[in-house]
Amino acid sequence: MEDNNTNTFSNDINYAQYDQAMSFLGKLIEYVDDIDAILRDVANHYEADRAYVFEFSDDRKTLDNTYEWCREGVTPEIDNLQSIPYESVAVWVDEFERVGAFAISALDKDVEANSLTYEILEPQGIDSLITAPIYKDSKIIGFIGVDNPRTNINDIVILKTTASIMYSEISRKIAKQNLKIKEMTTTQIKQDAELGEIRDIIASANMGTWRIELVENEKPRMYADDTMLKLLGIEKKDSTPEEIYNDWFSNITSEAVESVLSSVGLMQQGYFDENTYLWKHPSKGVRYVRCGGTAKAIEGGYSLQGYHYDVDEVVRKEQEQMLKLKKAMEDNKEYYDTLGALGDIFYSMHVIDLEKDTVVEFNAQNEIKKMVSINRNNGATKMMEVVMGSATTDEYRDRALEFTNLRTVAERMRNKSVMSEEFVGRRMGWFLASFIVMEKDDEGRPSKIIYTTRIIDEEKKQKEKLIKKTQTDEMTGLFNRRAYEEKIYEHNDIPEEDKFIYISLDANGLKVVNDTKGHTAGDELLIGVSDCMKKILGPHGHLYRVGGDEFVAILFCDGEEIKDILVDFDSTVANWKGKLVDEISVSYGWVDKYELPNASTRQLGAIAEARMYEAKNAYYHKKGIDRRGQRDAHTALCELYTKILGINITNDTYQIINMNETEQTSEKGFADKISDWLISFGRTGQVHPDDLEEYLRLTDIEYLRDYFKGDKTSLSIFYRRKNEDGFKRVMMEIIPSKDYSDDYQSLFLYVKNIDI
């Protein structure tokens, strides 16, 4: 396809396309082993003559047409499209790597007549096509396409979705499996028949799909399909996305919240992540559910999308087994739908007959394979003891032996379908060990199980690193507000520790330093305070930066110890010197748990904060600073202006600084976004009809964004607004705030009455 003019597609996917793709994917999962059926549905979606899969040879010198579906009356070409030279599609591969997918809209116009591509396509009667690459481990190994599409020509999402689950090795693996079955001895066939039961488990799925929008200053929203609503126990079909999100998130059990938030953090970093956690169903009680997905950045936040399984329903035994096996068969991004692929993701996999005490090895790495082989004749129970005792570190050995004790596993797994636990291996690091039930007796105890191990060392390290990052204040290195809230939640009732001190701290004079010496000096002041806290308070507990100049220390010491600690802290603060700031001062208040033994952590915090403000007032009084003047100035400003807002036109958000509550009604245009509010205010009759057109022009958010990017210092808008006596002339004034930048357009909006 040399020097062709192909049509490329944008990588942006709108939500309608996403929902359609997820629905289509759910349909494909029902017959993932039937490649012809998949290609048939893809062709029908585009009303195409032919759908096909091509795969590159291992040396990438040629490619073969390995699968094909043709509409009635269309001549099959699969036999004629074998060992095609790589050069004929080299340009296609370049386009795949550059833009992800492309199309030929007209063969005579887009492809040179003397090219290899033209010579291949023209005899087949192909005038147009759409194609998308198939990846394995980030490498293009083939492509899927449709010939002569008639509808949905610009919808590349379905083709990409299908490509993501097409594995170029399916045909070769199935062929090898069939050949293997033919060559097996009677004993091998019997063993393989047991393993065949695994495939039966993967027969159907009950998967709900969802999309969550997390946008700054807006309530989180969840969009769920019918299956997802059913899994959440939501019967109201008219539930809003905000209500659906709240129904999901509010029912996450307290012990699972941290894990779920960590998964969300990984998704926002661009990773695919899956998580099994406890969730409270409104009618069925606490259940295990499994969610997986990823995220993309959108304006003001993130859009997360993924799927949701209920993995706790004992009555649906076969589905439960399938779901749990799928959990064991997944790496972070792909489903393996043939037994031959299991070896790629599991460190080891064995089928254990608990009644016969025998073990059948399906896959194992050399270290495990050797130990199993040596101890196999001693029975599965003894073999498991030797292998786990040798493979795990001293710290985890006892727990690993208890978990894998085959003498007790049947009773421990009564009425369960899966049981997993994490351990540290001597050579393999963190790994996940799982028992999955294949057969049960009449009393619900397993008689035959699958035992798997999977290496999760890199995942554990990555999650720990992310959790630390999301809980750390970047500038000071202390724990951040999020970590503080989680700690407060942990101690929501009464602190369990015998020794518990809550300290509220505040850096004095930060605003003065920022105003007179700049924000770099202000940052140095805050870092100086945090360094003093780390040095003296840090060894005794946890330190948090909870606001601009606000800090909290939760220490585990008694009332006598804290007095000596604070003497050292005062001395350290007094002796601190910076490059831009000569000195720092810290006001603090503290409270001992023994003062109020029945108080919650929040109550202790309120007392410590009140004492801190007493100390702060004493500090300013000593310095001769009357802070009441600031409050008087603020009061005077509020009396002059009837409405004062802090607005951010980059994010389309606002904060009310001063405004009468009567203004906060839908009749007066009150809305969640500042752009909606400004427009609705005018269109609900609050602006005089003669002034409306100019008002709407000047308050349009795109106009404001362009206006203030032009280094304008203010914008004054005059109009008549409705009041009890008719209309009164007012002025709206918009000016940039101190932290305004073209990338972060933060401004103040003032409205005041003026004389006519």
Side-chain angles (χ1 to χ4, degrees), residues 626-638:
D626 186 359
R627 302 181 79 199
R628 292 173 297 178
Q630 299 176 12
R631 292 193 295 271
D632 293 341
H634 180 266
T635 301
L637 188 65
C638 291

Side-chain angles (χ1 to χ4, degrees), residues 359-373:
V359 58
V360 176
E361 178 185 302
F362 179 75
N363 173 65
Q365 299 299 317
N366 289 336
E367 177 187 6
I368 302 297
K369 183 185 289 289
K370 183 177 180 181
M371 286 190 285
V372 170
S373 177

Side-chain angles (χ1 to χ4, degrees), residues 3 35 106 208 252 258 283 353 370 423 425 476 609 629 693 696:
D3 300 323
I35 305 302
I252 299 172
E258 180 178 354
S283 61
D353 190 318
K370 183 177 180 181
F423 306 102
T476 64
E609 187 175 37
E693 182 178 353
L696 291 176

